[in-house]
C-alpha cells in the first residue's frame, strides 16, 4: 500500500510540473529544412486536387490493418476500424512526442494526422459514385465501400460530398496550423536563445 501511494504521488508530481517543461528547441537550419519540406509537400497536395498522394500508400496499409484489428470487436467496429486506426496511429505518435516535448516530432505527426483527413475526404466523396478502386484484405468478391455503407446506415449518403468538403477543409486547416505552430515554437526558442546570449555577453562585459 505505501508503495502504491508513493507511486501515485510521483505520477502526480510529474504531471504537476509537466506544463512547465520546456519544448526542445529546433536549430535554425533544421527549422528552415522542415519549412522547406512542408512547403513543397503542401504545394504537391494542392496541385493533386484531391487525387491519391504517394503518402496514401502508407495510409492505405494502416487503413486495411484497422479493418483486421477492429474486426475482432464486431462488424460495425470493423467497418469503422480502417479510418479509426488510420487516424489513431499519427494521433498517438503526436501524443507521445507531445509528452516528450519534441517539437519537430510533434509537428510532423500532427501534420500527417490531418493529412489523413484528406485521404478520408476523398474516400467519403466517392460514397455514392463508387468509382475509386477498392482494396481489401478479405474476400475480393465481397469488397465493401466503407463510406457508402457508413453513410447509408446513418441516412446521410446524399450529403457525402458536403461532409467530405468539411473534412478536407479541416484537414487543410490542421496541416497549416501544425506548420504555423512549428514556426512559432522555433521563433520563440530562437528569441530565448538570443536573449540568453545577450545576457551572457553582458555578464562577461561586467566581469572585464
Amino acid at each position: 500500500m505505501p508503495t502504491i501511494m508513493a507511486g501515485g504521488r510521483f505520477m502526480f508530481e510529474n504531471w504537476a510540473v509537466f506544463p512547465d517543461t520546456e519544448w526542445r528547441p529546433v536549430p535554425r537550419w533544421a527549422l528552415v529544412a522542415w519549412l522547406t519540406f512542408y512547403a513543397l509537400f503542401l504545394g504537391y497536395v494542392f496541385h493533386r486536387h484531391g487525387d491519391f498522394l504517394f503518402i496514401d500508400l502508407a495510409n492505405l496499409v494502416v487503413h486495411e490493418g484497422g479493418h483486421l484489428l477492429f474486426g475482432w470487436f464486431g462488424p460495425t467496429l470493423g467497418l469503422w476500424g480502417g479510418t479509426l486506426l488510420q487516424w489513431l496511429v499519427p494521433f498517438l505518435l503526436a501524443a507521445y512526442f507531445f509528452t516528450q516535448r519534441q517539437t519537430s516530432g510533434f509537428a510532423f505527426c500532427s501534420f500527417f494526422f490531418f493529412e489523413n483527413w484528406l485521404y478520408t475526404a476523398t474516400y467519403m466523396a466517392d460514397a455514392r459514385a463508387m468509382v475509386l478502386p477498392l482494396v481489401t484484405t478479405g474476400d475480393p468478391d465481397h469488397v465493401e465501400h466503407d463510406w457508402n455503407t457508413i453513410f447509408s446506415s446513418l441516412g446521410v449518403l446524399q450529403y457525402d460530398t458536403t461532409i467530405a468538403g468539411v473534412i478536407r477543409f479541416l484537414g487543410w486547416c490542421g496541416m497549416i496550423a501544425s506548420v504555423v505552430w512549428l514556426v512559432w515554437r522555433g521563433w520563440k526558442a530562437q528569441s530565448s536563445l538570443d536573449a540568453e546570449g545577450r545576457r551572457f555577453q553582458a555578464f562577461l562585459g561586467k566581469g572585464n
Side-chain angles (χ1 to χ4, degrees), residues 10-24 98-101 181 184-185 188:
F10 177 75
M11 291 179 62
F12 178 78
E13 289 171 359
N14 280 349
W15 280 108
V17 301
F18 177 74
D20 298 325
T21 305
E22 291 292 332
W23 286 89
R24 298 186 186 181
F98 177 82
T99 61
Q100 299 300 308
R101 287 301 200 245
W181 179 85
W184 175 73
R185 286 301 324 174
K188 187 175 181 181

Side-chain angles (χ1 to χ4, degrees), residues 23 25 38 55 59 78 81 83 90 97 119 137 141 145 166 171 186-188:
W23 286 89
Y38 289 126
I55 191 66
N59 295 335
T83 300
F97 285 120
Y119 177 98
T137 54
D141 295 328
H145 193 297
V166 173
W187 174 81
K188 187 175 181 181

Side-chain angles (χ1 to χ4, degrees), residues 55-172:
I55 191 66
D56 290 335
L57 292 172
N59 295 335
L60 177 61
V61 172
V62 178
H63 182 98
E64 293 305 316
H67 288 308
L68 293 175
L69 176 63
F70 288 97
W72 287 94
F73 304 99
T76 300
L77 199 54
L79 178 64
W80 285 83
T83 300
L84 286 175
L85 188 64
Q86 182 188 329
W87 288 18
L88 195 59
V89 168
F91 177 82
L92 291 178
L93 287 172
Y96 168 77
F97 285 120
F98 177 82
T99 61
Q100 299 300 308
R101 287 301 200 245
Q102 294 186 11
T103 306
S104 56
F106 174 71
F108 180 84
C109 293
S110 297
F111 182 91
F112 281 100
F113 166 71
F114 286 106
E115 186 278 328
N116 272 274
W117 291 36
L118 307 187
Y119 177 98
T120 301
T122 299
Y123 200 2
M124 287 178 168
D126 186 61
R128 278 179 295 175
M130 291 197 295
V131 296
L132 290 176
L134 301 179
V135 177
T136 181
T137 54
D139 188 347
D141 295 328
H142 296 86
V143 181
E144 187 174 33
H145 193 297
D146 296 0
W147 290 104
N148 177 276
T149 304
I150 292 171
F151 285 158
S152 296
S153 67
L154 297 175
V156 296
L157 183 60
Q158 66 273 28
Y159 304 113
D160 58 349
T161 54
T162 302
I163 297 171
V166 173
I167 295 298
R168 184 175 300 280
F169 174 75
L170 293 176
W172 270 100

